[in-house]
Amino acid sequence: MSGVHVFQLPTTGSLSFTDYFADGLDVYTTQISGATQARANLRAVLKESKHTDGDKDYLKLVKTLEEYLPNLYAIISCVASGDLVQAQEPVFSWRTTLSAHLFNNSPRLDLPTLPAELVFTLLTYAFALSNLARLNVAALGTYERERGISDVERKAKDEKLGFAVMLLCRASGLFEHVSTTALSGTEQTPSRKSNRARPPELCKEVASALSKLALASAQSLAIRKLMTKSSYDSTVSPGPPLPASHPSPGLLAKLHLEASALCASAESLLRIPSSRKHDMEVAEPLLLYARDSASLHDALARKWLGADAGARESNGVAVGFLGWAKRELETLRDGGSGGGGGGGGGGGKKEEGRDGRRERRERISAEAEDVAQFLRYYTRMNDTLSFQPVPSQAELQASVPAGRLAVAAKPFAPPTPAFGPGSVEYIRKHADALDIGDQKESSADGGQRGNPTTSSSSASYAGAGSYF
């Protein structure tokens, strides 16, 4: 199981910036046309992705977005500085893919502001990065459990897994930037002023929740990367005691606890729009994914707390935690919500949703069997050697430590505008103008200083200036 949510990508309508923006001196005519072309390219790639079955070309989408964003930031910068005049309010059309809707028909929204266009573009960028990470992880398979894999091959795939972690950290930073910065410009959008419901994409809480979910996915993959060598050794010799290559069970428990806390916090934030009168509710598959991910990480944390206690010969505590983990995993396996990776609304197509649910069931079943094996081992040890009492669930909960992060969101740095204020060419021209001004001023000062010196030297002889 990849542990990464698959996002349904939005689509957007066509728009020409030349119909809405102009500059009196025709300085940016070519650049505005270029921005229109970059946006048309993005629209075409999103439309192509929507009609593509199977694996999509998320890398192409990422590159297209990275070409469009500098142009969009340039338009915004030029309008703010007055270099471009806005003839009329542009109306951008986007489909909301995070909202709950009937018949899997994403509603199309008209968004008459540049800040809203920026928000949807940045969100699409983050969706693409997250989906690209998921695609890369799926291509790796369960390589760490292949008995014939060499150390060189395993390390090469470890690097690819690390690349997926990096993509998710970038996506997390993008979502956070949308929540804290980009959405500030949409607070007074017409959707807020009218009775029309505001989509989840324009809610700060939703963007913050998506940042937490992306970071939790990165944490989950980082845990997997940490365990690849020990997973191979455990495949050869399964069950306790743990192999020497195994990372500290206590550390693994803390990492899972932090991932669970991120997912639980994200679920709470995702449910906020449903309590507001003029906000659209978030799609149910995304809510279920956040809830199930929190429950799964909770169960795995208790598994490793049990293994840690067993390694310290606290067999009674080990049996308590492992029994608790086993019950939670069985509940998830038998009565889970099925929000494992996609589906309608906030997920991908039906095929992607089915793949995500199948991966989820397979991983939970494997984890449940692993926990059951650990529980049998430590129950036998406790019943035959240590005879320690098994603490109650409340006592076990009181001993659960705080979580720990293994990764961090990568802060998003807006790209340099393609033209206008802030662009490389704009800064260079202004620097050249300043240099020319300084040179002229230096020349003028030199001339003024030179004339008195000349007259002074020529009038230095006796009787100079006295003519009869």
Side-chain angles (χ1 to χ4, degrees):
M1 178 179 178
S2 65
V4 183
H5 184 71
V6 54
F7 289 98
Q8 180 184 350
L9 297 175
T11 54
T12 183
S14 61
L15 181 136
S16 175
F17 286 111
T18 56
D19 294 340
Y20 300 95
F21 303 99
D23 63 311
L25 301 176
D26 292 334
V27 175
Y28 299 122
T29 302
T30 302
Q31 287 86 343
I32 295 173
S33 297
T36 299
Q37 183 61 57
R39 193 181 192 281
N41 293 341
L42 172 60
R43 179 176 181 268
V45 173
L46 288 172
K47 190 174 181 180
E48 177 187 350
S49 178
K50 180 181 180 181
H51 297 291
T52 300
D53 294 326
D55 293 341
K56 305 179 189 301
D57 194 348
Y58 294 119
L59 182 57
K60 179 181 178 181
L61 175 57
V62 167
K63 291 180 178 179
T64 304
L65 283 157
E66 290 174 348
E67 292 173 0
Y68 173 54
L69 275 170
N71 287 277
L72 179 56
Y73 273 102
I75 295 285
I76 294 172
S77 177
C78 286
V79 170
S81 66
D83 288 11
L84 287 182
V85 177
Q86 185 171 293
Q88 56 180 318
E89 190 77 56
V91 179
F92 302 93
S93 176
W94 285 88
R95 286 196 183 276
T96 168
T97 57
L98 296 179
S99 62
H101 46 264
L102 297 174
F103 310 117
N104 200 30
N105 182 25
S106 305
R108 185 176 287 279
L109 305 172
D110 291 334
L111 306 165
T113 59
L114 280 168
E117 165 77 356
L118 178 61
V119 167
F120 268 82
T121 304
L122 290 175
L123 286 175
T124 304
Y125 189 18
F127 294 160
L129 288 173
S130 182
N131 287 359
L132 179 60
R134 188 180 191 277
L135 189 65
N136 286 344
V137 173
L140 293 175
T142 54
Y143 68 94
E144 64 270 36
R145 296 188 178 278
E146 296 174 3
R147 295 195 176 188
I149 193 170
S150 66
D151 283 344
V152 174
E153 292 173 324
R154 178 179 55 77
K155 290 177 180 178
K157 293 193 174 184
D158 281 351
E159 290 183 6
K160 294 181 179 179
L161 192 60
F163 177 68
V165 172
M166 182 271 293
L167 290 175
L168 288 166
C169 289
R170 286 179 60 192
S172 179
L174 257 170
F175 285 130
E176 186 63 24
H177 177 81
V178 170
S179 175
T180 59
T181 305
L183 277 170
S184 299
T186 66
E187 289 296 317
Q188 300 301 321
T189 59
S191 61
R192 291 282 285 172
K193 297 176 182 178
S194 67
N195 291 326
R196 185 174 184 179
R198 181 175 60 166
E201 286 87 346
L202 297 182
C203 295
K204 291 183 177 181
E205 296 87 356
V206 173
S208 179
L210 295 177
S211 175
K212 293 178 184 296
L213 286 178
L215 192 60
S217 295
Q219 177 99 341
S220 180
L221 294 184
I223 294 171
R224 178 182 172 185
K225 184 172 182 290
L226 186 64
M227 294 181 64
T228 54
K229 180 65 170 69
S230 61
S231 295
Y232 170 79
D233 293 339
S234 296
T235 301
V236 177
S237 179
L242 298 174
S245 59
H246 202 284
S248 164
L251 172 62
L252 295 177
K254 291 178 181 179
L255 296 178
H256 279 293
L257 285 168
E258 187 64 25
S260 175
L262 287 169
C263 293
S265 177
E267 184 194 358
S268 299
L269 290 170
L270 290 172
R271 294 191 182 278
I272 289 178
S274 64
S275 64
R276 294 190 182 127
K277 184 177 180 180
H278 295 300
D279 282 354
M280 296 182 185
E281 294 185 16
V282 174
E284 190 68 13
L286 185 56
L287 294 169
L288 298 179
Y289 168 78
R291 188 183 72 186
D292 284 356
S293 296
S295 299
L296 178 58
H297 283 293
D298 255 344
L300 294 178
R302 285 164 190 135
K303 166 191 173 181
W304 293 119
L305 286 172
D308 183 56
R312 293 183 285 103
E313 298 185 353
S314 298
N315 293 324
V317 175
V319 170
F321 272 121
L322 290 167
W324 191 0
K326 182 173 179 291
R327 291 190 296 272
E328 288 193 338
L329 288 169
E330 288 174 346
T331 300
L332 275 173
R333 181 189 60 195
D334 301 333
S337 53
K349 290 186 175 182
K350 290 181 179 180
E351 294 80 5
E352 294 171 326
R354 284 196 294 268
D355 289 344
R357 289 190 292 272
R358 184 180 65 252
E359 289 176 1
R360 173 185 173 278
R361 285 194 298 269
E362 290 174 354
R363 181 183 180 186
I364 291 174
S365 296
E367 291 290 356
E369 292 175 6
D370 198 34
V371 168
Q373 187 173 16
F374 273 75
L375 180 59
R376 287 192 297 270
Y377 177 84
Y378 286 113
T379 298
R380 184 171 66 251
M381 294 290 290
N382 195 44
D383 291 345
T384 58
L385 293 176
S386 53
F387 305 104
Q388 296 172 358
V390 177
S392 66
Q393 190 165 306
E395 292 173 322
L396 293 171
Q397 182 62 51
S399 66
V400 173
R404 176 177 172 182
L405 267 176
V407 294
K410 181 176 175 58
F412 172 70
T416 301
F419 57 91
S423 67
V424 174
E425 183 66 15
Y426 188 91
I427 294 172
R428 186 188 65 79
K429 286 183 177 180
H430 278 65
D432 291 345
L434 288 173
D435 287 343
I436 293 171
D438 290 343
Q439 290 173 8
K440 288 182 178 179
E441 185 177 345
S442 298
S443 299
D445 290 345
Q448 291 174 2
R449 287 192 300 269
N451 292 333
T453 304
T454 304
S455 65
S456 172
S457 60
S458 61
S460 60
Y461 58 89
S466 300
Y467 301 100
F468 305 97

